[in-house]
Amino acid sequence: MAGSDEVNRNACKTVVPLHTWVLISNFKVSYHMLRRPDGTFERDLAEYMDRRVPANPKPVEGVSSFDHVIDPSVGLEARIYRAVAGNAAAAEGAAALTLPILEFLGGAPSPDPLPVIIFFHGGSFAHSASSTTIYDNLCRQFVKLSKGVVVSVNYRRAPEHRYPCAYDDGWAALKWAQAQPFLRSGEGARLRVFLAGDSSGGNIAHHVAVRAAEEGIKIHGNILLNAMFGGNERTESERRLDGKYFVTLQDRDWYWKAYLPEDADRDHPACNPFGPNGRRLKGLPFAKSLIIVSGLDLTCDRQLGYAEGLREDGHDVKLVHREKATIGFYLLSNTDHYHEVMEEIAEFVRANLL
């Protein structure tokens, strides 16, 4: 049972900087306003309240971005980020900015190995977008860390678009990336792709990676930050942390009900991949995984169990368990958790690029 709001607010303030507390507390308030008891969602209000930034082909700190439709049949877009050399950074005028984008999209494979990170934003399948400010900032940071390209997928959201829409959009983004010569690089002009995401985005990355393994598509690595998993039976961390660090079990249950098929429970494989209705991955050529877990996230036991499930099936897992971190610590660069985890991500990409 969740404790009182006053106790829980005080607990949060002792473990996160003020800016982080304000950021996530504001999300919590707005998210509560948007969820209706009948399972529907205030989408128009959500779009109005979401803090977003436009794509910017003019480089900011050496990174430019542009939006591109990758599947017109469902209106699926992605925001593409890339590093830009010094001369391009000085370009001025619409024509000067647009032409390099067109040249980039139509370009040949890079002779040097280039990581491509396909990123799925968080928001519990219902909130946020590829243009949401916090995710725009995070993707720019990934470009700086990896020296590669980031493709941030603006997948369809629940409850308007339930399972498996988000997974289908993730798969469409991967297949689109496979078909683009400008994203290939190095010896053999191969796509050197990593799947990454936080919260629901981490869940999507897992399920897209499973399908890729089944169909023989090489993924160089999966990067999961506080990936969203669940199940019918409550774990110890779910009971202990319910309501204490920004999130309640009631919140999580609402989002699963909004995303899963209407007749499904939380032991559906989308929610509980290694649960009683899930499947094991032994024998599949599943990618190496970097799994980032916050110890003060009420679903941390789920994430630790997921890492253990991969290991039991014979797969390579690097687990980074930040026991004193809360959800969202990777969105602001104001803690040691942030900087140390960003170094882990950079090293993981470097080590698995070839």
Side-chain angles (χ1 to χ4, degrees):
M1 190 75 175
S4 73
D5 284 346
E6 182 178 358
V7 170
N8 295 335
R9 283 196 299 269
N10 290 336
C12 292
K13 287 180 178 178
T14 64
V15 296
V16 298
L18 179 60
H19 287 167
T20 303
W21 183 85
V22 170
L23 174 71
I24 302 179
S25 294
N26 285 342
F27 280 135
K28 181 178 178 180
V29 170
S30 63
Y31 285 9
H32 183 74
M33 292 171 56
L34 299 171
R35 299 190 304 261
R36 299 189 186 114
D38 64 359
T40 58
F41 190 78
E42 295 277 5
R43 179 62 62 195
D44 290 342
L45 181 59
E47 299 297 286
Y48 176 77
M49 294 176 67
D50 193 12
R51 290 186 59 196
R52 298 185 180 181
V53 292
N56 191 354
K58 188 172 183 178
V60 177
E61 296 183 355
V63 179
S64 71
S65 64
F66 59 95
D67 294 328
H68 185 67
V69 176
I70 61 177
D71 186 351
S73 68
V74 295
L76 179 61
E77 290 188 348
R79 179 162 292 184
I80 301 172
Y81 300 82
R82 60 184 178 126
V84 179
N87 289 339
E92 294 183 1
L97 292 172
T98 302
L99 185 59
I101 293 171
L102 297 177
E103 290 177 345
F104 179 64
L105 286 170
S110 167
D112 299 318
L114 177 78
V116 175
I117 298 175
I118 298 181
F119 178 75
F120 306 103
H121 65 79
S124 303
F125 294 103
H127 301 275
S128 300
S130 58
S131 58
T132 297
T133 301
I134 55 172
Y135 288 115
D136 186 83
N137 291 338
L138 184 59
C139 288
R140 289 176 175 278
Q141 180 64 13
F142 284 167
V143 172
K144 296 174 188 176
L145 292 173
S146 69
K147 314 302 182 188
V149 173
V150 173
V151 178
S152 182
V153 184
N154 201 37
Y155 60 87
R156 289 170 291 172
R157 292 158 299 172
E160 301 93 332
H161 301 284
R162 292 177 174 270
Y163 167 92
C165 288
Y167 301 160
D168 290 344
D169 289 350
W171 180 250
L174 175 59
K175 294 294 288 183
W176 174 84
Q178 270 199 307
Q180 308 308 311
F182 74 95
L183 292 178
R184 294 177 172 270
S185 65
E187 185 177 354
R190 295 184 287 113
L191 178 67
R192 300 165 191 269
V193 66
F194 295 78
L195 302 178
D198 79 305
S199 180
S200 53
N203 178 291
I204 296 168
H206 163 76
H207 286 284
V208 174
V210 170
R211 186 169 176 182
E214 291 172 336
E215 301 204 14
I217 297 175
K218 180 176 175 59
I219 304 296
H220 284 250
N222 298 323
I223 303 168
L224 277 58
L225 298 110
N226 294 169
M228 184 174 162
F229 298 114
N232 283 342
E233 185 177 349
R234 302 302 190 189
T235 66
E236 189 278 333
S237 68
E238 287 173 332
R239 293 189 297 269
R240 173 171 49 89
L241 298 172
D242 181 19
K244 286 191 176 176
Y245 296 97
F246 304 110
V247 181
T248 69
L249 284 173
Q250 186 178 20
D251 297 335
R252 282 284 172 256
D253 291 351
W254 190 96
Y255 290 116
W256 282 121
K257 189 173 181 181
Y259 179 64
L260 295 174
E262 292 188 6
D263 60 347
D265 62 22
R266 293 189 305 275
D267 278 337
H268 187 283
C271 178
N272 193 359
F274 296 148
N277 302 317
R279 59 161 296 185
R280 305 304 304 206
L281 304 182
K282 191 172 184 178
L284 272 182
F286 195 73
K288 294 181 179 180
S289 296
L290 173 64
I291 299 174
I292 312 297
V293 178
S294 297
L296 300 179
D297 177 356
L298 65 81
T299 65
C300 64
D301 283 352
R302 297 284 181 194
Q303 299 163 48
L304 295 172
Y306 169 76
E308 184 58 30
L310 289 180
R311 284 174 173 155
E312 289 174 357
D313 287 352
H315 300 298
D316 191 315
V317 175
K318 173 68 181 292
L319 175 66
V320 178
H321 186 192
R322 307 298 299 187
E323 295 185 10
K324 299 300 182 182
T326 67
I327 62 168
F329 75 87
Y330 44 82
L331 299 174
L332 291 173
S333 59
N334 56 359
T335 64
D336 290 341
H337 299 304
Y338 172 94
H339 295 287
E340 291 168 9
V341 162
M342 290 302 147
E343 279 300 313
E344 292 278 3
I345 293 171
E347 176 54 32
F348 181 77
V349 172
R350 283 194 297 268
N352 294 293
L353 182 57
L354 302 180

